[in-house]
Structures are given as structure tokens and as C-alpha cells.
């Protein structure tokens, strides 16, 4: 029997990258999985490949009405929602002085409000069931600053704070909220980006499946006493300067 057999999960941004790896991991562990994404073709292909109880439902995470529809349809299909993985996200780069309010809002609509709407949409269903698990995918950018990524970093710091705060409110209902902060992960989003790994303790980029394993832990009963917490999957990137050669005096 799988670690989350019989449970139902919604994974946003589940068509590609870390989302797709999470969908596959959850399906292998016996869960019913809803791939909630705007990339219909990729999502349908993944659902067909995995088969079983994996389905695609179109979702723009910035639209609260769309969230309500996806949760309602998930309940009708599988009877409830036990797990939510808020993975959908976008990145944008550029000098801070070139950012407009509209450009910032676009990033916040997906990276922050997408998480906010998702938590609100599943909370009544999870309360009714007596509990549930929500995993928010943040970023190593929620732990430190990155030049040229002010909007993205701001959105991820906000998700970090939202996770901890709502965990305090929903714990009495048996609903756990935790965050995972990936570092440099090999995904379609980073395919055109060249990363230096000298400052990563493990000396390499991470794989999407490695983040999916962390998400599985936080979503399952092995983490039943874990809430308001965060796990950093960055190979040691945020721990310090791995390539430092100085000798303390």
C-alpha cells in the first residue's frame, strides 16, 4: 500500500517540472490526483500516461471562481480533497527600476494570490473531513535576495509568511500547512538558464523528483506532527558560501 493510498490531491502547475514529478510520485503512492494547470496539452498527456485516477482540470490559479469550480469537481469525482500542493508559479527578471506595478501584480497574481485562493478554496472541504495537508512551493528566494528578481523574491517571501500564519489558524481543524523551498532545479522553467553550482554544497543542480519526495513527506502521515514548517531542497545553497577558501584567524 502506498504512503497516500486513497487520498485525493490537487497539484497546481502539475503538467510540467516539479509539478509533474509530484503528480507522478503521488500516483505511484496510490493517490487520486488532479493536475490543475493552464497548460492543457501537457496536462492531458501526463494524465493519459499515468492513467489510473489521474485527471486534468483546467485552472488559472489567479481566478478564485476557477478554484471553486475545480474543488467542486474534485469533490464530485473523488469525494473530497485531502492534499493541496500549491506549485504553480512564474518568474520574471529585470532591474528593479524597470519594474512597473502591473508587472509586479502579474507575478503576485500567480505566485502569491494563486496560493491564497487555493488555501481558501480547499479549507471548507478539509474542515468538513476533519483535516488535510497543504504544501506550498516557495523558493530559496524566500530565504534570501536575488538581484534582478525583485518581484519573484517578494512573492515567495510572502508565501513563506502566509504559510506560517495560516498554519496557526487552521491547526485546530487538523489542517497542516508547510512549505518547501527548492533551489536550482532542472526543470523546463530553468532550461534556458545557466547556473553556477560552486556555491551549492552538493555541487550540482537538483532534480524535480527530489523535490517531489519532500512534498510527498509533507503531504503524508509521516509528517502528521509537522505544520508551519519549511524544508529547503537546495543542495545547501542557502546554508552559506560553499566555495569559500578563507582560513579563520
Amino acid at each position: 500500500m502506498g504512503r497516500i493510498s486513497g487520498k485525493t490531491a490537487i497539484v497546481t502547475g502539475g503538467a510540467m517540472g516539479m509539478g509533474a514529478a509530484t503528480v507522478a510520485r503521488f500516483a505511484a503512492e496510490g493517490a487520486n490526483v488532479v493536475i490543475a494547470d493552464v497548460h492543457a496539452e501537457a496536462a492531458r498527456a501526463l494524465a493519459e500516461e499515468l492513467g489510473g485516477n489521474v485527471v486534468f482540470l483546467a485552472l488559472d490559479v489567479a481566478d478564485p471562481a476557477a478554484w471553486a469550480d475545480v474543488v467542486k469537481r474534485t469533490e464530485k469525482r473523488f469525494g473530497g480533497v485531502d492534499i493541496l500542493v500549491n506549485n504553480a508559479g512564474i518568474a520574471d527578471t529585470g532591474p528593479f527600476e524597470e519594474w512597473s506595478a502591473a508587472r509586479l501584480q502579474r507575478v503576485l497574481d500567480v505566485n502569491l494570490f494563486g496560493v491564497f485562493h487555493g488555501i481558501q478554496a480547499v479549507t471548507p472541504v478539509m474542515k468538513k473531513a476533519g483535516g488535510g495537508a497543504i504544501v506550498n512551493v516557495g523558493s530559496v528566494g524566500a530565504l534570501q535576495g536575488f538581484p534582478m528578481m525583485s518581484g519573484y523574491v517578494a512573492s515567495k517571501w510572502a508565501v513563506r509568511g502566509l504559510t506560517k500564519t495560516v498554519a496557526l489558524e487552521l491547526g485546530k481543524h487538523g489542517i497542516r500547512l508547510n512549505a518547501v523551498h527548492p533551489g536550482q532545479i532542472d526543470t523546463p522553467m530553468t532550461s534556458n538558464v545557466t547556473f553556477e553550482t560552486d556555491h551549492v554544497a552538493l555541487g550540482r543542480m537538483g532534480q524535480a523528483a527530489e523535490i517531489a519526495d519532500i512534498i510527498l513527506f509533507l503531504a503524508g502521515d509521516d509528517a502528521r506532527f509537522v505544520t508551519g514548517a519549511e524544508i529547503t531542497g537546495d543542495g545547501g545553497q542557502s546554508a552559506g558560501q560553499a566555495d569559500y577558501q578563507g582560513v579563520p584567524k
Side-chain angles (χ1 to χ4, degrees):
M1 180 177 290
R3 291 163 68 181
I4 49 175
S5 283
K7 295 189 177 183
T8 296
I10 296 174
V11 180
T12 70
M16 294 178 285
M18 292 182 292
T22 301
V23 169
R25 192 76 170 91
F26 280 13
E29 292 290 340
N32 309 312
V33 189
V34 172
I35 305 171
D37 209 314
V38 294
H39 299 287
E41 185 175 346
R44 287 194 183 99
L46 180 61
E48 184 176 346
E49 174 190 340
L50 295 175
N53 289 326
V54 179
V55 299
F56 160 62
L57 293 178
L59 174 65
D60 175 357
V61 295
D63 182 355
W67 264 110
D69 180 63
V70 164
V71 171
K72 181 179 179 180
R73 293 172 67 185
T74 301
E75 276 194 284
K76 184 176 180 179
R77 175 71 180 263
F78 296 118
V81 180
D82 304 293
I83 300 165
L84 169 63
V85 179
N86 282 309
N87 167 75
I90 59 174
D92 194 355
T93 61
F96 173 73
E97 62 268 26
E98 294 181 6
W99 278 74
S100 64
R103 186 176 178 182
L104 174 60
Q105 189 64 57
R106 175 177 173 269
V107 174
L108 293 178
D109 281 345
V110 176
N111 293 3
L112 174 58
F113 283 97
V115 174
F116 176 87
H117 296 318
I119 296 170
Q120 285 200 328
V122 302
T123 292
V125 182
M126 289 185 174
K127 278 185 177 181
K128 185 170 60 177
I134 298 172
V135 182
N136 298 325
V137 178
S139 166
V140 68
L143 307 173
Q144 59 193 56
F146 285 111
M148 308 291 284
M149 298 189 73
S150 54
Y152 176 83
V153 169
S155 71
K156 294 300 186 178
W157 274 85
V159 167
R160 185 185 183 193
L162 184 68
T163 302
K164 291 182 176 295
T165 301
V166 181
L168 296 175
E169 296 186 30
L170 297 184
K172 62 186 177 184
H173 301 290
I175 301 173
R176 299 184 296 103
L177 283 88
N178 294 290
V180 56
H181 299 308
Q184 298 174 7
I185 309 300
D186 186 11
T187 69
M189 182 183 288
T190 62
S191 61
N192 295 321
V193 180
T194 299
F195 287 112
E196 298 293 335
T197 56
D198 290 347
H199 58 296
V200 178
L202 295 183
R204 63 174 177 85
M205 291 182 70
Q207 299 300 310
E210 294 174 307
I211 302 302
D213 286 342
I214 299 173
I215 294 172
L216 173 65
F217 165 71
L218 291 174
D221 290 340
D222 287 344
R224 59 191 174 275
F225 198 57
V226 180
T227 195
E230 50 196 350
I231 297 179
T232 304
D234 68 351
Q237 178 181 341
S238 61
Q241 191 173 345
D243 59 347
Y244 178 65
Q245 300 298 320
V247 178
K249 294 182 179 180

